[in-house]
Every structure is written in structure tokens, then in C-alpha cells.
Amino acid sequence: MRMRKHFATGAALTAAAAMILTACGGGSSTTTSSGGGSTASEGPKGTVTAGVAYETTDYGPITTSALGMGANWQVLEGLYRFNMADYSVSPALAAGDPVKVSDTEYEVKLRDGAKFSDGTPVTAADFVSSYERATSEKSIYRQFFTFVDSVEAKDDNTITIKLKHPFASLKERFVNVRVVPSSMDEDSLKAKPIGTGPYKYENITATEITAVPNENYTGNEPAKVATLKWQSLKDDSARLAAAIGGTIDVMEAVPASAQDQLKGAGWNVESKPGYGNPFLMFNTQKAPFDKPEVRRAILKSIDKKKLISSALEGQAVEATSFLPEANPAYKKPATDLSYDKDAASKLLSDAGVSGLEVNLVSTDHPWVLSLVPQIKSDLEALGLKVNHTQMASSDLYSNVTDVDNPTYDIVLAPGDPSVFGTDPGIIISWWNGDNVWTKKRDGWQTSDPESFNKLQSIMDEAVQLDGDAAKAKWGEAQDLLAEKTVIFPLVFRNMITGSNPNKVDGFQAISSTGLQLIGVSAK
């Protein structure tokens, strides 16, 4: 059996990151500081306040929230961590690289003296329980570890990992098992988890998070700031006003139209490409959306280039496949989903569909809502009647999609699985693996099990190949995803970050949602 190529991870990922920066968007943050700059000898000083575009009630180690994950980067650790600016990987809770016992067995030692922020020593058993939580039946992280046969504690400080087959991206995948005490229950973890990172949560409310240095931290990235704050400001104008008014110093998700205003106020503004996208998801268990031809017609009726030039002010690239063109595994699929109104009309006609009334449900993120008028207009030009409803992400998923026998038609929502890494197995399986997306949200496993199972087989084979063979197999996956069009991105969006150079040092804009504040200090 041949080993899978390590796409966009390690050395390859660092090289790929340079290409990625030409194709999509990156995260942003805001920081308000007081006090002088800090050094290792002086200890943490000042305050850094981040103005963020998301909100959540779930800060647990298997959260899927952009805010929860981004905040947890400073508080919870896996065996390894990404530098989200370039996806390079370094040891976090691990003492070093995995030690190879055989092609399918590795050992990882925990760093010496590792403790949770409450002073309790970290053991291999804590890692095992965290792994079991991440791979439980209800966890969407489960799909990231299908190559793992078992994880066991060899002793208090050593973990044994056995694989089903050779796998090159071991460190990158185990970034996503963040270690928490075995004794913490699910409700406590979601509300205020305890970790081993350089910071610990001090207070969490619906609108603000506060974290302070973890005095028990023994790793190589100590806290540089006395207080980290995240202020939840979903409304673009509210974040912009806070930035201009000086109550935040790095701004997440800067609207493209506000770039010049922020620059005029002395801020650094950076646009970084990435994998974040607005996608359409279809209820494939409901006619006529059970027909791939109807789904493709709707995708082809939307003028993506016009969306980019108008609503997104040029800060995105068209999604020509399920992966962005910057990904080394990218293939332009055989099924063309680019804008073509005449072809879209023919697809609908051939499917016997006319006079269709569509209920479009979107999240209430401002930039997502800015896409709705044109999408609605394009669909109506195709002869459809469109009813639009907006709601918070948490409400949309809990009340509309994650229910038995959902009745929605189409969902428009944002997504960015690159917070977990950028190898194609991560990106594709996030939306299309054996998980809640396909079981409940779009119903693919039920509506078309043959094609769904075919995709799973393709992915299982791809992760065991290398070089051109791997790329060809990932190309098969992209062909199938475009043909079936169950979930598909419209564009890959540039994320724009603004930071106040008079208030913060060491801040790096990233290509995903969330804010990387490790290494940041206050001026």
C-alpha cells in the first residue's frame, strides 16, 4: 500500500501557503491595549481587545464555532499546534515529534511538567479521554481520524497511536484533539473549559470573553499580555465604530468598503486569501431538490463574478471546484457550474420543473446578507419565486437543518474548515463525510446512498496514495461533488483584518476565521 501525499502540510503546506495567499481570504482581529510593551523578563503586560464578528455559547474542545475555536487556540492545546499564518506545525503539549515504532505505530511523549491551568498534572489518560470525546459518535471531528486504529496510554506521559494504514499527516490531524481534564463534564467544557495553553479563561459572557495568563503553563509560547479580551460585535458597523473609536485595536472581518477608512485612521489592513466561503446546501430529501440537475441549475443561474465585483468588492475568487485553485489537489471538475442562465434554464426544463417556489434560509452574518439580493434576483430571472428568511447560525442549524425530516429548500451559510488544516481530506470530509451534514442537514446518505458511499470510498483510497495518484483520486472526488452538487461553494472569500500598530505588536493576520493572539503583545 502506498502512502498518501502530505498535501499542504509541513514543508509542503508552507510552500502551498504562499500560493493560497493568491486565492482566498484570511481572518482578522482587533486589539485594545493599555500599559507598556511586554518582554519575557518583564512578564505579561497591558490589554489586547479583539473585536470579533461571531458569537457562540460553545467553547468546548470539539466546538465548531469560529469564535469558540479562535479563542480556544490561546487556552487549549493539542499535541501539536498550527501557526495559522502559514499552517506550519510545531509541538504544543507534545515534547517533540512522534517516534516511529513501525509504519502503523507511533509514540508521543507529553512535555515535562505539563499541568492544566488549575494546577492538576496532565497525563496520557487525559489525552486518551480527549481523543475519545473528539471521535465519539456525536462529534463532527470523528471523520478526521478514520485512519486511526487505537489510541492508548502506554504510561502516564506516553501515548501510543496505532494506525489502520500508513498516514503522513499525523501531527497535523492531531492538532485537532485539544486536551482537557478527564473529570470535566460536557456542560462545564462548553461553558468554560480548562486547558494547558498560555492563557486561561477568566470570564465568559454572551458579549465578552476575558482570558489571563496561565501561571501553570510550561510550554514554549508564554503569555505576553496581562489580559486578552474578545468583544462580540457581529454588526460590521459596530466593529468599525469600535475600531475608529479606539475601544478595539484589531478588527475581524473588515468590510471591503471600510478598508480605506481604517487605513486613514492609521490602521494596518491586510487581505489574505483562504478557504472560507458562502455555500448553498440543498435539502436532497425534498422534491425537486432531490434531482442533481435542479441543484446544478440553481448553481449555474448565480453570477458568481458579479457577486465578487459588487457585494464582495473584489475580495474573493470564484469557486470553480470544491477546493480552491491554490490547493495542490485542485482539479477543475468535468461538470461546469459557472454562470450560464441559458444552460440553467435547460437543466430545469429537462428536469420537468417550472414555476418553482423556493424558500431560501440564510444566516444573519452581514456579509452573507449582502449576497442575498443578487442571488434572489438571479434565481427569479430563472423563473423561480424566492422567499428569504434570515436567522442566527445557531438557530438555523438547531431549528431548521438538524431536525428529523427537515423541510427547508436551500440554505445559504458561511463555512471555513481550514481552521482544522488545509489537506483535501479535511476540507472535503468536513461537509461530505459520514457526519451530521450528510445524515441530517442535506440528507445525502438517505437520498442517494450509492453516490455518497462512492465518495467515501474515493476519500479512503486517496489518503493512502501519494503524488500524481493521490491528486488523480482527489480529482475524482471533486468531479463527483460537482456532479451531485449537494453542497457547493459560490466563491472563496478574502478575509480582511485591520490592526492598530500603535496598540499591538506581533499580530499576524490569518487565512481562516478566528484570531491568532499567541505571540501578540500590547504596546
Side-chain angles (χ1 to χ4, degrees):
M1 187 173 287
R2 297 163 63 195
M3 187 176 292
R4 165 192 178 275
K5 181 176 179 182
H6 179 189
F7 280 114
T9 51
L13 212 165
T14 303
M19 293 189 293
I20 290 170
L21 298 186
T22 67
C24 287
S28 53
S29 82
T30 34
T31 56
T32 303
S33 63
S34 61
S38 60
T39 66
S41 59
E42 294 174 340
K45 291 188 177 181
T47 298
V48 169
T49 303
V52 296
Y54 300 91
E55 61 187 10
T56 188
T57 57
D58 182 3
Y59 295 88
I62 57 172
T63 184
T64 60
S65 154
L67 175 55
M69 283 202 69
N72 279 347
W73 289 336
Q74 284 64 232
V75 175
L76 306 184
E77 293 181 304
L79 294 175
Y80 302 94
R81 76 166 63 89
F82 287 128
N83 178 339
M84 295 300 294
D86 61 7
Y87 287 96
S88 57
V89 182
S90 60
L93 194 52
D97 287 346
V99 176
K100 183 176 179 179
V101 178
S102 72
D103 285 345
T104 56
E105 183 175 345
Y106 291 82
E107 291 182 354
V108 180
K109 286 194 174 294
L110 300 177
R111 69 171 181 251
D112 290 341
K115 294 181 179 180
F116 291 108
S117 59
D118 65 357
T120 306
V122 182
T123 68
D126 291 308
F127 178 82
V128 172
S129 68
S130 296
Y131 173 79
E132 290 173 347
R133 179 182 292 105
T135 57
S136 68
E137 191 68 38
K138 67 179 182 178
S139 172
I140 201 168
Y141 289 35
R142 178 185 179 91
Q143 66 202 303
F144 301 157
F145 300 97
T146 55
F147 64 94
V148 177
D149 186 47
S150 65
V151 171
E152 299 174 350
K154 180 178 181 181
D155 56 42
D156 280 352
N157 296 301
T158 309
I159 298 145
T160 298
I161 301 171
K162 294 181 180 180
L163 311 179
K164 295 175 182 176
H165 53 74
F167 189 82
S169 307
L170 195 67
K171 292 191 296 184
E172 288 76 8
R173 291 297 177 97
F174 275 93
V175 166
N176 296 306
V177 179
R178 291 182 169 82
V179 183
V180 293
S182 301
S183 59
M184 288 196 78
D185 61 54
E186 296 298 321
D187 289 343
S188 298
L189 286 171
K190 287 184 177 182
K192 192 178 179 183
I194 291 172
T196 61
Y199 293 89
K200 63 181 180 181
Y201 288 124
E202 181 180 55
N203 192 43
I204 296 176
T205 69
T207 57
E208 186 173 274
I209 310 164
T210 304
V212 296
N214 172 11
E215 63 271 25
N216 291 301
Y217 180 67
T218 59
N220 57 11
E221 289 282 359
K224 294 184 177 181
V225 179
T227 305
L228 289 180
K229 290 184 179 180
W230 293 260
Q231 291 184 358
S232 182
L233 301 166
K234 286 177 61 177
D235 184 76
D236 288 348
S237 60
R239 287 197 313 286
L240 181 61
I244 299 298
T247 58
I248 61 174
D249 313 305
V250 189
M251 179 178 167
E252 181 175 33
V254 175
S257 59
Q259 292 182 87
D260 290 343
Q261 189 175 355
L262 271 185
K263 289 177 183 178
W267 282 51
N268 294 330
V269 179
E270 186 170 0
S271 176
K272 292 190 69 172
Y275 288 67
N277 64 81
F279 60 84
L280 290 187
M281 175 172 67
F282 297 89
N283 184 354
T284 65
Q285 298 183 81
K286 183 178 181 181
F289 308 105
D290 56 339
K291 297 181 178 181
E293 297 82 3
V294 173
R295 303 193 295 262
R296 292 201 297 271
I298 288 172
L299 259 294
K300 288 187 70 65
S301 72
I302 298 172
D303 189 341
K304 275 78 83 174
K305 287 184 171 61
K306 185 177 178 182
L307 277 180
I308 292 168
S309 62
S310 56
L312 296 173
E313 302 198 32
Q315 294 295 323
V317 295
E318 183 176 0
T320 56
S321 185
F322 203 85
L323 297 175
E325 293 184 35
N327 191 289
Y330 167 85
K331 180 198 174 186
K332 186 171 183 178
T335 301
D336 182 8
L337 296 174
S338 62
Y339 173 64
D340 187 331
K341 181 186 173 185
D342 292 339
S345 295
K346 186 175 187 307
L347 282 168
L348 279 187
S349 177
D350 290 348
V353 175
S354 62
L356 181 63
E357 184 170 343
V358 173
N359 294 312
L360 174 67
V361 185
S362 79
T363 65
D364 62 355
H365 299 98
W367 71 269
V368 171
L369 292 177
S370 74
L371 307 177
V372 171
Q374 187 202 310
I375 291 174
K376 189 172 183 289
S377 175
D378 287 346
L379 294 181
E380 288 173 343
L382 195 63
L384 280 59
K385 179 181 179 182
V386 181
N387 306 310
H388 172 242
T389 305
Q390 68 183 60
M391 60 185 68
S393 290
S394 57
D395 291 335
L396 188 153
Y397 289 116
S398 62
N399 299 325
V400 175
T401 65
D402 297 0
V403 298
D404 294 332
N405 303 312
T407 59
Y408 79 90
D409 294 338
I410 307 174
V411 161
L412 169 67
D416 186 2
S418 68
V419 291
F420 304 107
T422 58
D423 95 47
I426 288 280
I427 302 300
I428 292 176
S429 70
W430 175 253
W431 281 293
N432 301 286
D434 182 9
N435 59 47
V436 68
W437 289 99
T438 54
K439 286 178 179 176
K440 280 199 169 184
R441 293 179 179 174
D442 61 48
W444 189 6
Q445 290 191 50
T446 301
S447 63
D448 188 0
E450 182 179 354
S451 68
F452 172 78
N453 290 331
K454 181 180 179 181
L455 177 65
Q456 308 315 302
S457 296
I458 290 171
M459 291 194 292
D460 288 345
E461 292 177 46
V463 298
Q464 299 175 60
L465 300 173
D466 63 4
D468 290 342
K471 184 170 183 176
K473 188 59 67 174
W474 287 121
E476 290 181 28
Q478 291 166 83
D479 279 336
L480 183 60
L481 290 168
E483 177 190 353
K484 298 303 178 182
T485 324
V486 174
I487 293 179
F488 212 83
L490 297 173
V491 302
F492 293 106
R493 179 178 174 243
N494 290 6
M495 296 287 285
I496 309 172
T497 302
S499 59
N500 188 337
N502 297 318
K503 298 290 185 69
V504 63
D505 268 336
F507 177 80
Q508 292 181 291
I510 63 175
S511 298
S512 76
T513 56
L515 305 172
Q516 180 172 267
L517 299 177
I518 288 179
V520 168
S521 59
K523 288 187 176 180

